[in-house]
């Protein structure tokens, strides 16, 4: 879609001021701790791109507020490299760069905003190579500190701390199935058949590159088999979020050209964890 198409769809340029007004109308406010997911093309023609979106969010939450994104690591070794021919494995183990919070690019599949935010002066990125998050603002250091190596979506993770801070989740035109907080609900849910992965990645320990083994829910292929409770062709996370909206949890509104949603993180976790336990324990 070219610029003129985006301009027509959004009724003109989507500026920093317009974004700020739309975000405030949706319910975002001063002092909020908010994790956001964005599909830039859905917003329309944003004058200034990703940096304008971050600036507008910062304007609304103010100096007491905090912005948070999910990053991951774009160049992480794949989980299955341990199945490659031995010579290939040896080459990766010998020379694959270690994860570095300040240098390693955020996963490109998460869009432009996570990489743009993590590069901001004052931004803090968590230490976990595969499941890293980044935050900017008053609560950033607390949200990111000591990200657990194992069960990195679970208790005491940045997601758990978002909930403890009474944080919020903002979907700026992003598909509903991209709500990362639902992985925290999967980690917490007491339901049968939970699936896990073990994998190895390199990180820096006192300046030395060290390979470490990690244990987590399977957030890539799915922590549970949802086939019995989700219609074929539907994504489980989208179904959960739409059920949540139908239950009156969350607000809808337009930000730029995008249908957007704002949720209170504690209510998301309460509802979605109960949904998982009730549906998957039948």
């Amino acid at each position: 879609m070219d610029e003129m198409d985006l301009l027509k769809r959004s009724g003109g340029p989507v500026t920093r001021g317009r974004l700020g007004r739309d975000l405030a109308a949706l319910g975002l406010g001063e002092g909020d701790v908010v994790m956001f997911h964005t599909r830039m093309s859905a917003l329309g023609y944003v004058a200034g791109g990703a940096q304008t979106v971050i600036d507008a969010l910062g304007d609304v939450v103010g100096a007491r507020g905090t912005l948070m994104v999910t990053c991951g690591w774009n160049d992480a070794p794949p989980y299955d490299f341990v199945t490659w021919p031995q010579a290939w494995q040896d080459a990766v183990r010998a020379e694959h760069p270690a994860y570095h919070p300040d240098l390693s690019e955020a996963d490109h599949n998460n869009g432009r905003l996570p990489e743009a935010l993590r590069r901001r002066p004052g931004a803090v990125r968590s230490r976990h190579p595969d499941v890293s998050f980044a935050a900017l603002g008053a609560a950033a250091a607390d949200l990111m500190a000591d990200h657990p190596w194992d069960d990195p979506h679970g208790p005491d993770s940045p997601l758990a701390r978002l909930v403890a801070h009474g944080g919020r989740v903002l979907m700026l035109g992003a598909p509903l199935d991209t709500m990362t907080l639902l992985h925290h609900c999967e980690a917490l849910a007491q339901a049968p058949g939970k699936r896990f992965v073990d994998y190895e990645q390199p990180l820096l320990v006192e300046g030395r590159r060290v390979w470490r083994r990690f244990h987590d829910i399977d957030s890539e292929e799915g922590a549970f088999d949802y086939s019995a409770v989700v219609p074929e062709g539907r994504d489980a996370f989208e179904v959960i979020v739409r059920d949540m909206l139908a239950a009156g949890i969350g607000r809808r509104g337009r930000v730029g050209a995008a249908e957007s949603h704002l949720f209170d993180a504690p209510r998301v976790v309460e509802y979605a964890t109960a949904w998982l336990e009730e549906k998957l324990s039948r």
Side-chain angles (χ1 to χ4, degrees):
M1 188 177 295
D2 62 23
E3 284 87 352
M4 186 55 67
D5 290 332
L6 289 171
L7 280 161
K8 289 177 179 177
R9 190 159 59 79
S10 55
V14 179
T15 62
R16 178 172 174 172
R18 179 177 169 186
L19 284 169
R21 291 188 293 274
D22 289 350
L23 289 164
L26 183 60
L28 195 67
E30 170 74 22
D32 278 346
V33 176
V34 59
M35 181 176 186
F36 64 97
H37 302 267
T38 312
R39 186 170 67 184
M40 285 289 293
S41 62
L43 292 171
Y45 177 78
V46 179
Q51 301 299 339
T52 293
V53 176
I54 294 171
D55 287 337
L57 286 161
D59 291 342
V60 177
V61 303
R64 294 188 303 108
T66 305
L67 308 178
M68 176 174 159
V69 290
T70 181
C71 288
W73 179 17
N74 192 66
D75 299 307
Y79 291 169
D80 66 353
F81 91 92
V82 294
T83 67
W84 295 356
Q86 191 60 51
W88 299 2
Q89 292 185 47
D90 292 344
V92 169
R93 289 188 184 280
E95 297 195 46
H96 195 292
Y99 168 75
H100 192 301
D102 296 333
L103 302 177
S104 300
E105 288 188 22
D107 189 338
H108 296 177
N109 290 324
N110 293 327
R112 296 167 55 192
L113 271 296
E115 179 67 8
L117 185 132
R118 77 150 193 96
R119 287 174 172 265
R120 282 278 176 125
V124 181
R125 189 176 185 184
S126 71
R127 68 182 185 175
H128 199 286
D130 195 60
V131 189
S132 69
F133 297 85
L136 177 69
D142 182 57
L143 290 169
M144 298 296 111
D146 300 326
H147 192 168
W149 297 125
D150 295 317
D151 199 13
H153 289 98
D156 208 30
S157 67
L159 295 172
R161 294 181 184 190
L162 174 71
V163 176
H165 276 268
R168 313 185 83 180
V169 177
L170 173 64
M171 310 297 287
L172 281 175
L176 298 179
D177 62 12
T178 62
M179 185 187 285
T180 303
L181 186 58
L182 295 183
H183 288 310
H184 180 56
C185 303
E186 290 181 318
L188 297 179
Q190 299 297 310
K194 191 179 296 189
R195 301 187 291 215
F196 297 91
V197 289
D198 292 280
Y199 56 92
E200 297 177 69
Q201 291 185 347
L203 39 79
L204 292 172
V205 177
E206 298 180 351
R208 293 189 309 111
R209 187 172 62 91
V210 175
W211 284 84
R212 192 190 192 285
R213 192 169 181 83
F214 301 91
H215 180 75
D216 190 15
I217 57 168
D218 188 349
S219 60
E220 190 168 299
E221 298 298 328
F224 295 99
D225 178 0
Y226 290 103
S227 60
V229 297
V230 173
E232 186 175 356
R234 299 284 303 280
D235 182 272
F237 278 16
E238 181 186 3
V239 169
I240 293 170
V241 177
R242 292 206 178 279
D243 285 356
M244 199 182 313
L245 288 165
I249 298 170
R251 300 181 62 167
R252 292 183 173 121
R254 196 156 292 276
V255 177
E259 181 180 67
S260 299
H261 301 84
L262 182 65
F263 300 87
D264 292 330
R267 292 201 71 192
V268 168
V269 172
E270 179 183 17
Y271 180 92
T273 304
W275 189 102
L276 292 166
E277 292 178 346
E278 192 260 323
K279 300 280 187 182
L280 296 173
S281 296
R282 291 176 178 173

